[in-house]
Amino acid sequence: MRTLHVIALGGTIASSTSPAPTDSADSTGRTGPTSSTDRTDSTGPTSSTGPANNTDRTDSTGPTAPARGVAPTVTAEEITAAARLDTLPGGAPQVSAEQLAQVGSGSIDFGILFSTVLAARRAAEHGADGIVLTQGTDTLEDSAFALSLLNDSGTPIVLTGAMRNPTLPGADGPANVRAAALTALAPEAAGLRAALVFADEVHDPLFVRKAHTSHVSPFTSGPVVGALGWVAEDRVRLPHLPAPRTLPVGLAVPRGSGADAAPDTAHAPNLDFPRVAHIDVGFDDGLELLATLPEAGYSGAVLAGVGGGHVAARAVEAVEALAVRMPVVLASRTGAGATLEDTYGYPGAEIDLLSRGLLPAGLLDARKARIALTLAFACGVDPAEVLAAFR
């Protein structure tokens, strides 16, 4: 029998409003399976003092949630059940579910992703053939890319989420989870470390990005590359699988970290995640703020230059001064294509900047280059070795 492990982190796919109390409360005082009242998960207790909203609800992020709108409360088990995985072709897989966090996607951090890798290792050791990770869409592309670097479990992690929360007509979460499960279990996907599945499209974490704030199909791998494949009629088609990529051996979640000993915690507390700045170069920008980064506690920076990776001539001195003090990665703010390395030679162009010690981001956009640089620092790997895999 095929086995599937579902890990949930929260987000729109898990969002709901707190229902009004009913007369059918059980002996614990809970009013039903979707109530957020007194819910406890791996991130800490969740409470609600109002019967019909999320007023005064607190979670692991600390701040009080607003009284209006939806918030993550739906569990991994409920998300999995809604996808009707028992009706997958080839027979129902054996499914397990794990609530690793219950937060909005803006609160997902490197500690949660490290713990996700540890959870994936445990699932693989117990025979999982595929792993589905659900979370909010705001940082779905970021999690997918980080996990494509870190997941060494030998079992693919397929990420998905939802744009329409479960309180809305046409909620897309169940269909997305079903497509993600089919992809995670597909033999053709076995060689992938991670993939992002949304609206029946399968995307490479290296190129995918969220391109719309509210569209039901917001993810794209354009404008040139395109999706790896798609899901239709409960069948996965992957005609554009990427070539294997060699990553430094040391780029891995350490074994024996805090989260290994405490599977239910959402963070890996014994690891240090350095701060890496992401600076977009604006029009007529002298980049004077670069001088403040070392004192502000940053260990590195990614510079998203204009065009192929360029800055104004008057900004070169500030860029070079920063590169003397910390690793600085040169990327492009365009979000597609590779950073140029050997075309333009004027002051502030890529040949000039690279000669001053900057590291080229290669195929990585600035946001993903920041993730790569942060993980290189956290794992004790030379950033140049990590970035070389994408040139």
Side-chain angles (χ1 to χ4, degrees):
M1 175 182 292
R2 299 172 301 170
T3 60
L4 180 75
H5 188 60
V6 178
I7 301 171
L9 303 182
T12 297
I13 194 171
S15 292
S16 69
T17 54
S18 299
T22 68
D23 294 332
S24 60
D26 62 19
S27 60
T28 66
R30 293 185 174 88
T31 58
T34 60
S35 171
S36 65
T37 304
D38 295 330
R39 182 186 302 282
T40 301
D41 59 30
S42 60
T43 64
T46 300
S47 62
S48 176
T49 59
N53 57 40
N54 288 314
T55 304
D56 296 331
R57 185 187 62 77
T58 59
D59 58 26
S60 63
T61 63
T64 302
R68 296 177 57 193
V70 297
T73 59
V74 179
T75 67
E77 290 82 1
E78 292 167 317
I79 292 171
T80 302
R84 292 298 310 276
L85 301 181
D86 58 318
T87 63
L88 292 183
Q94 180 179 334
V95 180
S96 57
E98 180 174 4
Q99 191 75 43
L100 196 59
Q102 189 68 289
V103 297
S105 55
S107 294
I108 293 173
D109 57 25
F110 286 105
I112 290 177
L113 295 185
F114 269 47
S115 289
T116 298
V117 173
L118 298 175
R121 289 175 182 168
R122 293 192 297 269
E125 289 168 359
H126 286 86
D129 298 301
I131 298 169
V132 170
L133 176 69
T134 67
Q135 67 157 79
T137 59
D138 290 352
T139 59
L140 193 63
E141 65 193 87
D142 305 283
S143 294
F145 178 67
L147 292 173
S148 74
L149 300 183
L150 294 172
N151 178 26
D152 55 4
S153 69
T155 302
I157 300 177
V158 179
L159 295 87
T160 195
M163 291 300 293
R164 293 175 180 154
N165 70 74
T167 72
L168 298 175
D172 55 329
N176 285 339
V177 171
R178 187 181 183 88
L182 286 164
T183 303
L185 295 172
E188 303 92 323
L192 298 175
R193 286 188 169 208
L196 190 156
V197 171
F198 214 93
D200 288 338
E201 290 186 331
V202 184
H203 293 275
D204 185 343
L206 176 59
F207 298 109
V208 69
R209 60 188 176 90
K210 188 176 183 180
H212 199 281
T213 59
S214 59
H215 197 280
V216 73
S217 181
F219 289 95
T220 178
S221 292
V224 176
V225 179
L228 297 179
W230 64 93
V231 180
E233 298 179 326
D234 275 346
R235 181 178 175 186
V236 180
R237 299 176 184 268
L238 298 173
H240 307 302
L241 285 173
R245 193 175 301 279
T246 302
L247 297 169
V249 174
L251 194 67
V253 177
R255 296 188 180 273
S257 63
D260 264 330
D264 292 332
T265 186
H267 290 73
N270 296 337
L271 298 170
D272 180 30
F273 296 97
R275 298 176 66 193
V276 173
H278 171 177
I279 307 296
D280 267 17
V281 177
F283 178 75
D284 192 23
D285 191 348
L287 296 174
E288 290 83 4
L289 64 82
L290 296 183
T292 68
L293 296 183
E295 286 69 28
Y298 287 94
S299 300
V302 174
L303 196 63
V306 298
H310 305 150
V311 304
R314 66 187 180 93
V316 170
E317 184 176 337
V319 173
E320 183 175 27
L322 184 66
V324 170
R325 302 185 66 179
M326 64 177 63
V328 179
V329 177
L330 180 64
S332 168
R333 72 177 189 179
T334 63
T339 303
L340 298 181
E341 297 187 35
D342 197 30
T343 299
Y344 296 100
Y346 56 82
E350 78 278 357
I351 294 176
D352 178 42
L353 295 178
L354 295 178
S355 72
R356 298 174 189 269
L358 276 69
L359 302 170
L363 295 172
L364 301 181
D365 64 26
R367 288 176 293 184
K368 289 169 183 172
R370 176 180 172 270
I371 290 171
L373 183 56
T374 302
L375 293 177
F377 285 150
C379 298
V381 178
D382 183 352
E385 291 186 30
V386 178
L387 295 169
F390 301 98
R391 292 179 66 180

